[in-house]
Amino acid sequence: MSIVLQRIYEEESKLGGNRVLVDRVWPRGISKADAGVDYWAKEVAPSTKLRKWFGHDPDKFDKFKQLYKEELAQNEEQQEALEKLKEMATNERLVLLYGAKDKNYNHVNVLKEVLEGE
């Protein structure tokens, strides 16, 4: 399983594979036509309540990580989206696209851990 993280605002790389946006809200300033997104998995993103509470505060990241993993484990819609992403990553590289500026303290890192079974 090959999973790569990429900020959607970065120039599209020639990584190949399935390009999947995993944010609940479409990123500002990026048209859907120009995004090069194969699939938008907004269901797998953290709930609006959790996302707003976290606010990309590094001091809250450990708690956010715990709560997000719990949310993923308990929400049937998120479970289905996770399974689809795992399936997409089985035979081809999966590029998880996100809009957050902070590369270290965001949900995509947690999502990658979950997909890789860590």
Side-chain angles (χ1 to χ4, degrees):
M1 181 178 291
S2 173
I3 300 175
V4 177
L5 308 180
Q6 183 179 11
R7 190 162 186 256
I8 196 164
Y9 295 102
E10 294 173 0
E11 185 176 326
E12 185 177 338
S13 62
K14 304 296 180 208
L15 296 171
N18 294 302
R19 292 174 49 84
V20 179
L21 177 64
V22 291
D23 282 345
R24 192 164 294 275
V25 179
W26 190 268
R28 290 183 188 166
I30 302 282
S31 73
K32 291 181 181 177
D34 294 335
V37 171
D38 298 313
Y39 176 61
W40 182 13
K42 58 185 165 191
E43 311 83 16
V44 79
S47 65
T48 301
K49 181 180 176 182
L50 181 57
R51 180 176 52 84
K52 287 184 176 183
W53 169 82
F54 172 47
H56 297 281
D57 180 349
D59 293 334
K60 293 181 178 178
F61 186 71
D62 288 337
K63 183 67 174 174
F64 168 78
K65 185 175 178 176
Q66 173 196 344
L67 293 172
Y68 182 37
K69 284 183 176 183
E70 288 174 9
E71 191 176 271
L72 287 169
Q74 296 170 2
N75 184 297
E76 188 174 318
E77 186 179 36
Q78 287 179 318
Q79 283 290 309
E80 289 173 12
L82 277 173
E83 289 306 313
K84 181 169 183 160
L85 292 177
K86 285 179 185 177
E87 188 176 304
M88 292 174 85
T90 301
N91 299 319
E92 209 173 340
R93 178 179 286 120
L94 179 63
V95 181
L96 298 179
L97 301 168
Y98 63 96
K101 290 179 183 176
D102 191 326
K103 293 182 178 191
N104 299 313
Y105 299 103
N106 70 57
H107 76 286
V108 182
N109 294 300
V110 179
L111 183 57
K112 183 179 182 203
E113 281 183 21
V114 169
L115 289 169
E116 292 176 337
E118 295 177 17

